[in-house]
């Protein structure tokens, strides 16, 4: 059986002291040259080095654990971690954490007391939050008191007061709206799934209190962009064109059935996620409706399944891997005592045109 590699073994391989390797593991890299840092991180990755958490905690030098708190219980009616976006984001964060010598601990965020207790018991060195409203995070940060980065969280204030990593949802919605309008769909509908961020607040609260309901602030931003692009064509885009469907799969299908005549009249559906776009394409095909000949469909995210569905999905691409890496890297800087003046990182998005939209500009030319 192969013996477990030790910290001293890595130090000997690089030709540095054991302390230097330990500093890299704990993110204390200010006095480590870039060349040495690269060598150590490469060996840590190649050897799959696993630090002894118990020893690290007893030494008082930190646990080497990053907490990843998930506020969503369900996404699209399934457990949150089954979602393609969530799994890809987690994979990117975990891969980056390993480069810094950290473990990633996933924590269910539905109950405040349990979340706080786990973060404290394991002495996490930092936290990444996703699926939390601004209000719920304000409550949590006072009790957990750890360096933290939020992902895809919107503020109702003029400026951010916490570190957030997100995307330009407004521009994504605008690109979709502009494309559909120019393709000949001035009456296209925007459809988003309801978002329920739930947390048991404790301290006498009965049951699970819904911190935020409705379509979610990110989808509100996407709708705002979609609406602005539609109105750039000279017609008013009414709020009734923003349709919110239920999280429950069976209830969604019932809603789709009831709205089918309206879908056929609009001739185009801008779905707020790739999951819902693929779902609606399959629903329409089950009802004998051709996509995109009778109804065009767009998505959002450009998940791995967007190219597998037929017709291939036209959607908005966001770099989920980069989002995860950026969140972890910025958290490392906070843990190392650095100040990050930019509170909100908003990455660009771009429209990926495939086959799920019938472009009437082209059909007119070819007739």
């Amino acid at each position: 059986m192969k013996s477990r590699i030790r910290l001293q073994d890595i130090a000997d391989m690089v030709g540095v002291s054991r302390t230097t390797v330990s500093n890299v593991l704990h993110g204390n890299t200010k006095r480590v040259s870039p060349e040495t840092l690269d060598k150590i991180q490469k060996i840590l990755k190649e050897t799959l080095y696993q630090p002894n958490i118990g020893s690290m905690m007893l030494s008082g030098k930190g646990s080497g654990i990053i907490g990843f708190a998930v506020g969503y219980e369900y996404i699209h009616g399934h457990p949150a971690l089954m979602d393609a976006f969530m799994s890809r984001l987690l994979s990117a964060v975990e891969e980056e954490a390993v480069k810094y010598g950290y473990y990633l601990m996933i924590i269910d965020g539905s109950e405040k007391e349990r979340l706080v207790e786990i973060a404290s018991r394991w002495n996490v060195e930092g936290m990444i939050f996703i699926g939390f409203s601004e209000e719920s995070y304000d409550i949590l940060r006072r009790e957990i008191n750890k360096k933290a980065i939020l992902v895809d969280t919107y503020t109702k204030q003029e400026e951010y007061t916490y570190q957030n990593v997100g995307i330009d949802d407004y521009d994504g919605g605008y690109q979709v709206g502009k494309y559909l309008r120019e393709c000949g769909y001035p009456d296209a509908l925007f459809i988003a799934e309801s978002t329920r961020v739930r947390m048991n607040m404790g301290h006498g609260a009965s049951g699970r209190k819904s911190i935020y309901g409705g379509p979610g602030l990110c989808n509100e931003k996407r709708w705002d962009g979609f609406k602005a692009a539609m109105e750039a064509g000279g017609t008013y885009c009414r709020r009734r064109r923003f349709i919110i469907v239920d999280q429950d799969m069976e209830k969604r299908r019932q809603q789709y059935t009831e709205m089918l005549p309206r879908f056929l009249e609009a001739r185009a559906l801008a779905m707020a996620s790739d999951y819902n776009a693929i779902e609606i394409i399959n629903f329409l095909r089950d009802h004998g409706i051709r996509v995109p000949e009778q109804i065009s469909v767009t998505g959002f995210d450009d998940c791995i399944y967007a190219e597998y569905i037929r017709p291939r999905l036209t959607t908005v691409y966001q770099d989920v891997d980069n989002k995860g890496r950026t969140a972890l890297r910025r958290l490392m800087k906070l843990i190392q005592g650095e100040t990050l003046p930019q509170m909100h990182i908003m990455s660009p998005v771009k429209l990926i045109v495939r086959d799920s939209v019938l472009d009437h500009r082209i059909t007119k030319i070819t007739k």
Side-chain angles (χ1 to χ4, degrees):
M1 180 181 293
K2 189 176 180 179
S3 60
R4 182 177 181 274
I5 191 166
R6 303 169 303 161
L7 207 65
Q8 186 61 55
D9 296 328
I10 296 174
D12 292 341
M13 293 167 72
V14 181
V16 296
S17 69
R18 189 170 184 270
T19 301
T20 299
V21 179
S22 179
N23 284 336
V24 172
L25 279 171
H26 289 87
N28 302 321
T29 60
K30 292 182 179 179
R31 297 184 179 181
V32 182
S33 69
E35 182 181 357
T36 300
L37 179 61
D38 287 343
K39 287 182 180 178
I40 293 174
Q41 289 182 335
K42 183 179 179 180
I43 292 176
L44 288 171
K45 185 175 181 180
E46 289 175 348
T47 59
L48 300 177
Y49 176 75
Q50 300 291 325
N52 187 308
I53 292 182
S55 300
M56 292 173 69
M57 294 179 71
L58 289 172
S59 70
K61 295 181 179 180
S63 63
I65 299 174
I66 297 299
F68 190 102
V70 182
Y72 301 116
E73 289 185 278
Y74 296 95
I75 299 177
H76 311 306
H78 305 291
L81 297 185
M82 291 179 62
D83 180 62
F85 167 83
M86 283 294 300
S87 61
R88 186 161 188 171
L89 179 69
L90 270 169
S91 178
V93 172
E94 194 273 339
E95 184 178 329
E96 196 68 18
V98 168
K99 293 179 182 178
Y100 286 88
Y102 278 78
Y103 288 93
L104 191 68
M105 176 181 285
I106 303 171
I107 308 174
D108 175 20
S110 62
E111 295 188 11
K112 187 199 72 169
E113 298 297 337
R114 184 171 181 274
L115 172 54
V116 173
E117 193 271 333
I118 290 176
S120 300
R121 184 204 310 165
W122 287 93
N123 190 29
V124 299
E125 294 190 41
M127 293 287 301
I128 294 176
F129 292 90
I130 186 170
F132 292 85
S133 67
E134 183 181 16
E135 178 187 352
S136 60
Y137 174 64
D138 282 341
I139 294 170
L140 284 168
R141 68 175 171 179
R142 289 194 292 269
E143 298 202 28
I144 295 179
N145 194 28
K146 298 288 184 179
K147 302 296 185 183
I149 296 288
L150 279 70
V151 175
D152 291 338
T153 304
Y154 275 94
T155 178
K156 297 176 183 178
Q157 312 300 321
E158 291 186 5
E159 296 183 355
Y160 278 81
T161 57
Y162 48 81
Q163 287 289 337
N164 180 67
V165 175
I167 61 171
D168 193 340
D169 287 290
Y170 178 92
D171 186 54
Y174 190 93
Q175 290 185 49
V176 167
K178 181 175 182 290
Y179 180 66
L180 288 177
R181 175 173 55 78
E182 291 177 346
C183 285
Y185 303 101
D187 301 315
L189 304 175
F190 184 90
I191 303 176
E193 193 176 305
S194 64
T195 301
R196 300 185 191 94
V197 178
R198 295 183 179 273
M199 180 185 293
N200 187 323
M201 302 307 292
H203 301 301
S206 59
R208 292 175 182 267
K209 178 183 177 184
S210 180
I211 298 298
Y212 183 77
L217 291 177
C218 68
N219 287 331
E220 288 280 2
K221 290 288 186 180
R222 294 173 189 180
W223 157 253
D224 289 342
F226 175 87
K227 181 177 185 293
M230 282 290 169
E231 291 181 345
T235 58
Y236 180 62
C237 183
R238 297 180 181 276
R239 177 76 183 190
R240 66 184 299 270
R241 288 168 60 182
F242 185 8
I243 298 172
I244 303 171
V245 294
D246 202 276
Q247 271 195 334
D248 181 82
M249 191 182 308
E250 292 304 316
K251 291 181 180 179
R252 279 200 308 276
R253 290 188 67 85
Q254 181 61 36
Q255 288 175 292
Y256 292 155
T257 301
E258 293 171 356
M259 290 186 289
L260 195 50
R262 191 176 173 192
F263 293 168
L264 285 164
E265 182 182 2
R267 300 185 301 125
L269 308 175
M271 310 301 288
S273 74
D274 286 348
Y275 181 98
N276 291 127
I278 292 171
E279 180 181 67
I280 199 71
I281 287 174
N282 288 330
F283 171 85
L284 293 172
R285 293 176 67 179
D286 289 344
H287 285 74
I289 297 170
R290 301 187 307 277
V291 178
E293 291 82 2
Q294 289 176 274
I295 297 180
S296 290
V297 177
T298 63
F300 204 108
D301 288 336
D302 197 26
C303 75
I304 59 174
Y305 305 112
E307 287 196 88
Y308 297 153
I309 185 71
R310 290 294 179 271
R312 298 182 311 149
L313 184 63
T314 292
T315 186
V316 175
Y317 169 80
Q318 65 160 308
D319 193 337
V320 181
D321 293 336
N322 183 63
K323 179 184 287 185
R325 290 192 296 266
T326 299
L328 196 284
R329 289 169 183 169
R330 290 179 70 80
L331 181 58
M332 288 295 103
K333 290 180 181 293
L334 292 178
I335 291 173
Q336 294 166 21
E338 294 187 36
T339 300
L340 304 179
Q342 187 176 357
M343 301 298 287
H344 177 45
I345 301 296
M346 186 169 63
S347 300
V349 295
K350 62 180 179 180
L351 183 71
I352 305 296
V353 176
R354 296 193 179 101
D355 309 319
S356 61
V357 174
L358 181 64
D359 190 338
H360 290 287
R361 295 172 299 183
I362 296 175
T363 57
K364 286 179 181 179
I365 293 172
T366 56
K367 283 183 179 179

